[in-house]
Amino acid sequence: MDPADLDDKLVTRFVQVLRSADDLFKSPDGGCLSPLGEYNLNLGIQKVVEPDIIATARDKPGAYDGHPFIVEAAVSLGGKDAKEGITVVRFANRIPLLFEGGADVATRVANGKIKWSSYKIDHKRDKIGVFVSIVSTKVPFKGTGKEYIGDDIIEIQQSVKRALQNCCQQLRAHLTKKNALRDVKERKSRLLKYIPDVSRSVFGILEAMQKRKSEEAESGPRYSSPRKRIAGAGAGAGVGSSRQQHLKPTESEVFSVLERVSNGDLTEDTIKEHLVEAVEENVNAGLGFDENEEVFGKVGTSKSKKVGEDDDRQAV
């Protein structure tokens, strides 16, 4: 058929058939593209922004209307001269986009498609930096100024969302560990605050018991009142009597402790030392890491999905 004989309906139908037959045409693999690279993106953000923590990710190559594209993203927290809230920095084919950022796909996804609270990030108070780099053989710019990329391309929008979610998942793991360490330190400081008073009181009780024991040895044993004997007999018949008997120290153990108090082996300072050791041991028992361990340094390492070549992510 001569192409000149095709009318508008046939051309429209032909295009619809081609678009519906995706299985017949292999999508571009993105091998012809030259993305910025996670390592270079990470290094540049460190040098310019100096964030407290950063995570980078690269989504798998995609295609729209036969044009391949690759989305790389980074999310940082903190940094010098950083503002509270979300600050979006955009790149298209390695060129920064400076104007009309409100309508860009990266801005709209970061502000409307990402649930920051799920990743333990407060998007209103925390200083969040969002960096998105898109490379393609044909960047779908909007407007004559080519200053922003519209969010009407569903493939690009979903790719940007996946890359940002990957970064946020990395940050959540670090923030969870950091918050757990902070809670441990607060709990430990509260317990250590009362150790001097507790050790003083315990030693005072032990001294009184030792004094009473020595007096009984000289003047004979003291008998408790009938009311106390009846109360003690009734307590032993309760439901938790076996547990109370298990926790109650034996006569030999009490005698041993009082003997140490009498000899000067057990003092207020030794009680304080034992309490400090017990607090440190029990507070760190449920964490699985040392409280002095560095949770993350200046910049967190990025662990994104392997999509494409990793030459640009070699260590310095």
Side-chain angles (χ1 to χ4, degrees), residues 35-252:
L36 181 61
E38 287 186 63
Y39 172 74
N40 294 328
L41 182 62
N42 194 322
L43 191 64
I45 296 172
Q46 293 181 39
K47 185 177 180 180
V48 177
V49 182
E50 298 181 4
D52 300 328
I53 180 174
I54 179 176
T56 59
R58 177 195 292 179
D59 193 44
K60 60 182 180 181
Y64 77 97
D65 292 342
H67 300 283
F69 67 88
I70 294 178
V71 175
E72 296 173 313
V75 178
S76 65
L77 296 178
K80 67 174 185 179
D81 301 330
K83 300 179 181 179
E84 292 184 355
I86 302 174
T87 303
V88 181
V89 180
R90 304 163 292 129
F91 299 91
N93 284 342
R94 299 191 177 196
I95 300 175
L97 304 179
L98 305 178
F99 304 102
E100 301 184 26
D104 192 88
V105 60
T107 305
R108 294 196 173 183
V109 169
N111 291 324
K113 302 292 184 179
I114 303 296
K115 192 175 181 180
W116 297 97
S117 59
S118 300
Y119 305 100
K120 301 185 181 300
I121 300 175
D122 189 348
H123 68 283
K124 294 183 178 179
R125 296 184 178 181
D126 293 338
K127 300 176 180 179
I128 307 171
V130 176
F131 305 84
V132 177
S133 173
I134 301 175
V135 293
S136 177
T137 55
K138 182 182 179 181
V139 180
F141 291 110
K142 296 296 181 181
T144 56
K146 294 185 177 182
E147 290 295 341
Y148 73 97
I149 301 173
D151 62 344
D152 55 338
I153 307 297
I154 304 301
E155 293 84 356
I156 294 181
Q157 181 189 119
Q158 293 177 347
S159 183
V160 171
K161 182 179 179 180
R162 286 194 299 267
L164 291 178
Q165 286 177 334
N166 196 341
C167 295
C168 292
Q169 289 172 0
Q170 300 174 42
L171 293 179
R172 179 173 58 185
H174 289 285
L175 292 175
T176 301
K177 199 172 184 180
K178 179 185 176 183
N179 294 338
L181 181 59
R182 182 192 60 197
D183 295 341
V184 164
K185 288 183 176 180
E186 291 179 356
R187 182 186 175 193
K188 179 181 176 181
S189 63
R190 287 195 299 265
L191 292 174
L192 293 177
K193 177 181 177 181
Y194 297 104
I195 282 182
D197 296 334
V198 172
S199 59
R200 191 182 308 112
S201 301
V202 171
F203 185 71
I205 293 173
L206 293 176
E207 278 189 326
M209 291 176 63
Q210 193 273 336
K211 184 178 179 181
R212 187 176 63 182
K213 200 76 173 176
S214 61
E215 291 178 354
E216 289 179 356
E218 295 177 358
S219 61
R222 294 183 179 179
Y223 298 99
S224 59
S225 63
R227 181 181 299 177
K228 290 184 179 180
R229 289 198 299 268
I230 295 174
V239 177
S241 59
S242 59
R243 179 176 177 83
Q244 293 175 2
Q245 292 294 334
H246 177 70
L247 296 177
K248 185 177 180 180
T250 61
E251 193 70 24
S252 59

